[in-house]
Amino acid sequence: MSIDYKAEIERLKAKLPVTVVGHFYQRDEVFEMADITGDSLELARKCKIDKNPWVVFCGVGFMGQSVKVIAPQKRVLMPKIACCAMARMIDASYFDDSVQYMVERGIPKENILPITYINSDATVKAKVGEMGGLVCTSSNAYKIIEKGLESGKKILFVPDRCLGQNFANSMGLKSCIIGEGECDPKEADVICFNGFCSVHQLFTLDDIEFYRNRYPDILIAVHPECDPAIVEASDFAGSTSQLIEFVAELDPEQKVAVGTEYNLVNRMRPGGNTFVLSSTKPECPTMNETTIEDLYLTLKSIEDGQPINEIVVNEHTIKYANLALERMLAIK
Ligand code: 13P
Ligand code: SF4
């Protein structure tokens, strides 16, 4: 007999002290089951104040880890511990190498303020926390960099070069990328690690030109993980929540092409006039790993007293990663 996953998930959620969390990029059938949804910042804030002792997080690894770091008393399970491709580009040793790069070019360690995008492993966040730095997300990067600059130090921004450059550009700051051309930390305000999101690299100037030629009044809205040339050529850039809000406020007749993950764009504005800014399907492979069956099995494992896929972070990492995350959460 086949299992009615939706009904079983509803039964388990009603029975167990558990909150199901889902990022906007999740498959529709998984996303619909979530009690808490949002962009990375909203998910972190909402999970922190949520009362249930169990969290089942449908997203990518760094998101579940972040909940464990800000609320270590919670038991956090992930139906799939899928690692964001960008987060995988940096680890603690690459972080140390980036600090060393700046030190060798005349910036003493005590004059470096690291900021890590939340799309990074907890061990990288811990390194950042130990150096007095902060976490940021795509919805608060402007404010966090502004706060960082108050220290008078050079900003080391990891791992997303695009986010670092896009916000530096919008703030009129000079940026450079370690390993790309001449990156002299003395000449730049924001020194970026050379990481990127493979999904958001799919959007091109040709895509923008195609839509503008086809619909001259169309608006282009993109995520700031896109290349700076794409953000520059767009009408709006924002986090997943900010993109949803931007599109929701448009006149229903206003056409818009959106440059972010397919699942989100597809459910944004049913009824047409919203296009995916790409000729290919920009799916995040790791976000799409989680299926409704995985969600059911994870909830069932709690009912059976044998929880699976639990997020474990060691005490040292929790202590310092927590500093970096809490410094971010303290900024309204
Ligand atoms: P948001 O913080 O905008 O939800 O972005 C997360 C992400 O991974 C985008 O690729
Ligand atoms: Fe990571 Fe990119 Fe997927 Fe976002 S879309 S989770 S940055 S790989």
Side-chain angles (χ1 to χ4, degrees), residues 184-201:
D184 181 355
K186 284 195 167 148
E187 296 299 319
D189 310 294
V190 181
I191 294 86
C192 305
F193 184 81
N194 200 0
F196 57 88
C197 165
S198 44
V199 180
H200 287 87
Q201 296 308 298

Side-chain angles (χ1 to χ4, degrees), residues 21-26 30 38 40 43 56-68 76-88 117-122 125 197 199 225 261 283-290 311:
V21 182
H23 186 266
F24 293 126
Y25 291 169
Q26 290 292 294
V30 173
S40 306
L43 293 179
V56 171
F57 203 117
C58 305
V60 282
F62 74 83
M63 296 180 170
Q65 256 191 349
S66 295
V67 177
K68 187 69 190 168
V76 183
L77 309 186
M78 297 193 74
K80 278 275 163 65
I81 308 182
C83 187
C84 157
M86 180 202 291
R88 211 183 292 136
Y117 189 26
I118 196 165
N119 297 36
S120 56
D121 190 74
K125 293 187 179 81
C197 165
V199 180
E225 286 176 13
E261 212 275 345
E283 283 180 309
C284 172
T286 43
M287 282 283 185
N288 275 274
E289 277 185 35
T290 305
I311 299 296

Side-chain angles (χ1 to χ4, degrees), residues 23-34:
H23 186 266
F24 293 126
Y25 291 169
Q26 290 292 294
R27 293 162 183 263
D28 289 350
E29 64 273 23
V30 173
F31 185 74
E32 280 162 17
M33 293 287 111

